[in-house]
Amino acid sequence: MDRSRSTASAEPTRPPWGRLGGVFVAGGAAGAAIALALLPQRGPQEATSTAFALGALIFGAALLGWTAAVVGGRGLETTYESVETESQFTEAGARRAMLLLCALGLGGMVGASVISAVLT
Amino acid sequence: MISRRFLLKRLLLLIPVLLGVATFVFAILHLSPGNPARTIAGERASEEFVRQIENDLGLNDPIYVQYGRFLFDAVQLDFGESYTIRRGTPVSDVLKSRFPVTLELAILGQIAGICFGIPLGILSAVKQDSLTDHLTRIGALSGISVPIFWSGPLLILLFAQWLDLLPTNGRIASQYSVESVTGLITVDTLLAGDLAAFQSAVHHMLLPSLVIGIYSMALISRMMRSSMLEVIRQDYMRTARAKGQGAKITVMKHGFRNALIPVVTIIGIQFGSLLGGAVLTETVFNITGIGRLLVDAISVGDYPLVQGTVLLFAFLFTLVNLGVDITYSMLDPRIEQ
């Protein structure tokens, strides 16, 4: 128990705002790029819908993953510790990874929305 | 006693879960092929008519507007109207009428699982390596391995065809008409004070709830056995026995509560698969619950109905897990930390 606490406390507790912003922008660019790439084949409505839905898919799944990490992350971390799997999994790490994915998905949704607003 | 902070934290976590599920379902439905307007209009309808329906449904609005509208409506429990299965009926009304059927099935299945699984698990642990233990373990392994689409027809064959003991479809015999109060047929017949109808309802629900509860029963009994075995080996159990306390009292008074903690988790997780199992069980036993509704809605592309049903499933699942967390902290207050 003590060992898991020491591992968890070694992780930074604050969300990585700088990286989150960067990933959000990257997601936005990817969303916009996908929408623009699909534009000639599918038309503005369907192209932006598909790009938005892809971003939403990532965002929704990551949000569920984040909740799972908050609820069960500590238990999983302790389990890995107790069975001595040498796993690098930590609750804080899982939460941060899921937050980054949330930012990526949300960025994709915003990027596709911007293209949709420009085209319509 | 549960702390307010713990309860508030768990309640607040419901928001990201439901938002995540809603977003995920919205995305999947928009990525899946097919046009809802074409489904409503029919294959032979003109393009103009299809476009008119698209406008009426707001399918031509920018995607972010559709997403925002979907979330805004969902918060107010408005999931739109069914496109096909019950055309023009609000999804919330359809869910209201069908949901109690599935809920009753899941609850009865869970009760069957708990009532049989826990005593069998304890018995198996207490009589470790005896014939009872071996038979219980074989039974549990079979229960985990056998899928509903196989166990359902098998039990129908045994109890309905060969033994002629139980009915195989519907929720109550056709000669009874019961006013729906809660939607749960066993409760409604009791509220009406009609014992013959209650007996018929129980008779009809026995087989489906047994089928849906088999997996739960098997898993609970396996978990209870291993958890109880672990507890039995603890020093405090040995001390209690050394003080001259009887074996039964030692197990039930000192061991049961501690052995129950991992079992409670399994019961919570199980409820989700019970809802999933309801889809198959309702189909096998011709029960018109939400599980069959979901299958029908997916097959005809009724988006609002799919979204509403999945969100309801997710809400129920998270609520049950919240209940598990609370039970957890009541059994062992250290868990809150």
Side-chain angles (χ1 to χ4, degrees), chain A residues 5 45 48-54 56-61 63-64 66-67 70-71 109 112-114 116-117 120, chain B residues 9-10 13-21 23-24 26-28 30-31 59-64 66-67 325 337:
Chain A
R5 276 200 186 129
Q45 175 76 22
T48 49
S49 282
T50 307
F52 185 93
L54 284 172
L57 203 65
I58 297 170
F59 176 68
L63 207 54
L64 290 174
W66 180 82
T67 323
V70 171
V71 174
M109 289 161 79
S113 300
V114 169
S116 172
T120 50
Chain B
K9 193 184 161 193
R10 283 287 183 266
L13 276 172
L14 284 176
I15 298 168
V17 170
L18 292 176
L19 177 65
V21 172
T23 309
F24 197 75
F26 178 86
I28 289 206
H30 274 80
L31 285 171
L59 296 174
N60 284 331
D61 291 336
I63 184 78
Y64 56 90
Q66 291 183 48
Y67 176 67
D325 282 344
Q337 309 305 316

Side-chain angles (χ1 to χ4, degrees), chain A residues 17 41-42 53 55 67 73 90 94:
Chain A
W17 293 115
Q41 277 179 326
R42 302 194 181 185
T67 323
T90 60

Side-chain angles (χ1 to χ4, degrees), chain B residues 111-150:
Chain B
I111 289 173
I114 294 169
C115 288
F116 289 104
I118 290 181
L120 280 175
I122 296 174
L123 194 72
S124 186
V126 173
K127 295 186 180 293
Q128 195 188 0
D129 293 332
S130 67
L131 182 67
T132 317
D133 181 28
H134 292 314
L135 286 177
T136 312
R137 282 162 68 191
I138 291 169
L141 194 66
S142 312
I144 291 168
S145 319
V146 171
I148 286 175
F149 60 79
W150 196 75

Side-chain angles (χ1 to χ4, degrees), chain B residues 93-110:
Chain B
D93 286 357
V94 182
L95 295 179
K96 228 180 274 174
S97 68
R98 295 277 195 104
F99 177 62
V101 180
T102 304
L103 185 69
E104 184 172 35
L105 194 62
I107 290 174
L108 290 175
Q110 191 70 292

Side-chain angles (χ1 to χ4, degrees), chain B residues 65-77:
Chain B
V65 174
Q66 291 183 48
Y67 176 67
R69 191 169 48 216
F70 165 64
L71 288 185
F72 184 73
D73 289 345
V75 168
Q76 299 171 74
L77 301 179

Side-chain angles (χ1 to χ4, degrees), chain B residues 70-88:
Chain B
F70 165 64
L71 288 185
F72 184 73
D73 289 345
V75 168
Q76 299 171 74
L77 301 179
D78 176 8
F79 302 104
E81 291 176 352
S82 170
Y83 290 166
T84 49
I85 294 172
R86 275 208 232 163
R87 190 171 290 187

